[in-house]
Amino acid sequence: MSAESLRILLRGGRVMDPARRLDLTGDVLLVGGRIAYAGPPLDPREAEADQIFDATGLVIAPGFIDLHCHLREPGQEAKETIATGTRAAARGGFTTVCAMANTSPPIDCRPLLEYVQQTARREGVVRVFSLAAMTRGLAGQELTEMAELAAAGAIAFSDDGVPIASSRIMRAALAYSRLCGRPIMPHCDDPELLAGGTMNEGPVAACLGLKGIPAAGEEAMVARDLALAALTGGRLHIAHVSTAGAVDLIRRAKARGVAVTAEATPHHLALTDAWVAGHRWEGHGQPYDTSTKVNPPLRSEADRQALLAGLRDGTIDAIATDHAPHTLVDKLCPYDEAAFGISGLETALGTLLRLVEHGELTLDLVIEKLTIGPARVFGLPYGTLKPGQAADVVVFDPQTTWVVDPTRFASKGRNTPLAGQRLRGRVEATFVGGRLVHQTEEFAARQTRALVTR
Ligand code: DOR
């Protein structure tokens, strides 16, 4: 049977599509790789399909979109590859990921961008968009050929991992962002305040004797970049917002009409710096566990609450994982020396559903910030179940609980502070353009009609 005519029916699930304010029990029909229908139960005559899955008790939503992940290829294949990273994405319910530019070498010229795109087409199981570096070699001195990179497909520009010290360079990048129609996505922190820091500056860092990274560094840089965006009319997207002050600055800049969007990560929304001292939801962790080391660092409870408020009032547009896989060696060392980063693609949904379970976010809002929210930030034609759209769909069980076992990750990065924690909510199936790229055994058993080759 040709892919053009293949009909797949997901029947009787909770169909949620925040872009269309849809939340009802019904069916989703995928035909030839596109959404043909998403709504109340279909008439049995219309519901003819080659493959039918019973989705009773499951949520059917647009596939998730991650604006920020590190796939590490080229050059750091011991940490992750496009093949393993996109498999991790599929297991996490993500159908589109945007790959960061801080590879070795960084993605700062057209051939490297094309290398990532070709590798993703050959080896990726989900859609991969590439970010390009903002400055050559991520050195913060000289802009890349932004117009050429945008024409070659760069979706945005970022030196993520390295804050841009020079206001002159940032001003120029924002001015160019207008010309090439792509956002600038800075990692906002003051390099001098950041230097040598390993965790959030505050009482926990003081108790542990670790050098802190003050919230003020992030806030000073967010304030500068907002001012430069206003000055140039450039398009700014602020990566991994982590402090209450930054949320407040962005909220006020949006009210003034500055062209800014922002994202927050599941770990900053759900965890705090108490985790560095060994706090866990269940049981106890070890203090100084390097899996909690991430940049920006896990912050205070007040910061976490401000991020949640920012999501609710629209200050924060999207949830992005900042999936940052590392090898065991990168993390098996003293806290000061360990690499920054959390492997996040496979735990994102479970982490966020915990916030839903605790009444801190609604399920509808979580799905919005994983689908149409990020789609709008980068202008991607995905993130909704509207008929005619690509059939990028996630099916998840919002009730099933599971214990995080990083040795079972598809990602090479096992660096997660959530190891051993029980999460509620499991991705059962992920479709990209109508193709089933991930399914659990339980989901496979729900198939009531198998494909018959005509
Ligand atoms: O924790 C982080 N890890 N933050 C970043 O900004 C970079 C990332 C990485 O590349 O490992």
Side-chain angles (χ1 to χ4, degrees):
M1 168 162 318
S2 71
E4 287 74 51
S5 57
L6 183 64
R7 294 168 70 90
I8 302 169
L9 179 66
L10 305 169
R11 191 160 60 189
R14 180 173 173 191
V15 183
M16 296 185 75
D17 183 9
R20 294 199 298 150
R21 300 189 185 289
L22 203 65
D23 181 0
L24 46 76
T25 300
D27 299 346
V28 174
L29 180 64
L30 319 180
V31 178
R34 306 224 147 245
I35 304 282
Y37 177 83
L42 282 166
D43 181 277
R45 280 165 298 150
E46 294 169 313
E48 256 313 300
D50 306 295
Q51 286 178 298
I52 300 177
F53 295 91
D54 174 10
T56 309
L58 307 181
V59 173
I60 309 171
F64 303 148
I65 298 171
D66 191 2
L67 298 179
H68 186 159
C69 73
H70 297 267
L71 298 183
R72 306 296 193 205
E73 206 175 339
Q76 300 169 328
E77 289 83 358
K79 295 178 194 272
E80 193 77 290
T81 64
I82 289 171
T84 57
T86 57
R87 275 171 184 78
R91 287 174 60 127
F94 292 89
T95 51
T96 296
V97 296
C98 301
M100 264 299 163
N102 65 338
T103 48
S104 300
I107 309 304
D108 61 0
C109 62
R110 191 181 179 132
L112 284 165
L113 185 81
E114 287 173 351
Y115 172 83
V116 173
Q117 291 171 333
Q118 282 162 13
T119 310
R121 270 196 295 277
R122 209 176 47 242
E123 289 167 25
V125 299
V126 305
R127 299 180 201 280
V128 177
F129 288 90
S130 271
L131 283 107
M134 210 186 96
T135 69
R136 280 186 214 278
L138 306 179
Q141 304 290 324
E142 212 186 327
L143 291 184
T144 53
E145 296 292 342
M146 288 172 54
E148 186 191 352
L149 286 160
I155 195 75
F157 294 91
S158 181
D159 280 8
D160 181 55
V162 194
I164 302 291
S166 163
S167 306
R168 180 182 56 82
I169 288 283
M170 185 50 109
R171 177 184 183 166
L174 283 162
Y176 274 106
S177 78
R178 288 190 64 177
L179 297 177
C180 60
R182 298 284 193 281
I184 301 298
M185 182 172 173
H187 178 135
C188 288
D189 210 334
D190 179 310
E192 290 182 352
L193 292 177
L194 172 66
T198 53
M199 70 169 292
N200 182 45
E201 183 168 310
V204 184
C207 283
L208 294 174
L210 291 174
K211 184 167 175 345
I213 300 173
E218 176 170 331
E219 290 155 9
M221 215 44 126
V222 167
R224 180 199 74 176
D225 291 352
L226 290 168
L228 292 174
L231 175 68
T232 56
R235 172 73 177 82
L236 184 64
H237 174 68
I238 299 186
H240 44 48
V241 176
S242 76
T243 80
V247 174
D248 192 45
L249 287 161
I250 296 162
R251 181 180 291 121
R252 285 190 282 141
K254 281 190 166 186
R256 288 198 307 276
V258 177
V260 59
T261 51
E263 68 186 32
T265 71
H267 47 270
H268 290 113
L269 289 164
L271 315 184
T272 65
D273 56 1
W275 284 57
V276 185
H279 174 81
R280 296 291 182 270
W281 293 321
E282 284 175 271
H284 301 283
Q286 292 292 329
Y288 306 99
D289 177 348
T290 58
S291 70
T292 61
K293 185 174 173 183
V294 63
N295 186 10
L298 301 175
R299 300 282 191 186
S300 70
E301 176 63 14
D303 291 311
R304 192 182 79 81
Q305 290 297 335
L307 292 179
L308 292 169
L311 263 190
R312 290 188 214 104
D313 73 11
T315 302
I316 295 172
D317 303 82
I319 297 172
T321 67
D322 191 8
H323 173 74
H326 288 292
T327 64
L328 198 58
V329 174
D330 296 325
K331 288 286 196 179
L332 205 59
C333 51
Y335 206 85
D336 287 344
E337 292 162 27
F340 286 104
I342 290 176
S343 178
L345 282 167
E346 291 166 80
T347 54
L349 180 69
T351 305
L352 295 166
L353 291 192
R354 183 185 167 91
L355 301 175
V356 173
E357 193 183 351
H358 287 247
E360 295 188 307
L361 296 174
T362 63
L363 182 58
D364 189 64
L365 190 73
V366 165
I367 295 177
E368 178 193 326
K369 302 290 179 180
L370 288 168
T371 58
I372 194 65
R376 286 189 181 129
V377 169
F378 281 178
L380 301 171
Y382 307 112
T384 169
L385 298 176
K386 194 165 163 229
Q389 293 294 112
D392 291 4
V393 179
V394 60
V395 183
F396 65 87
D397 183 334
Q399 292 306 330
T400 295
T401 60
W402 56 288
V403 175
V404 178
D405 175 1
T407 65
R408 303 183 65 169
F409 279 2
S411 170
K412 290 191 183 184
R414 274 97 202 257
N415 46 303
T416 172
L418 296 170
Q421 299 295 296
R422 184 176 303 277
L423 298 182
R424 186 181 294 280
R426 188 179 64 188
V427 174
E428 298 293 333
T430 308
F431 295 85
V432 177
R435 207 161 64 85
L436 190 55
V437 294
H438 164 70
Q439 67 174 329
T440 59
E441 279 172 23
E442 289 81 358
F443 186 76
R446 285 170 172 264
Q447 187 161 349
T448 57
R449 174 174 308 166
L451 179 63
V452 270
T453 316
R454 284 188 224 144

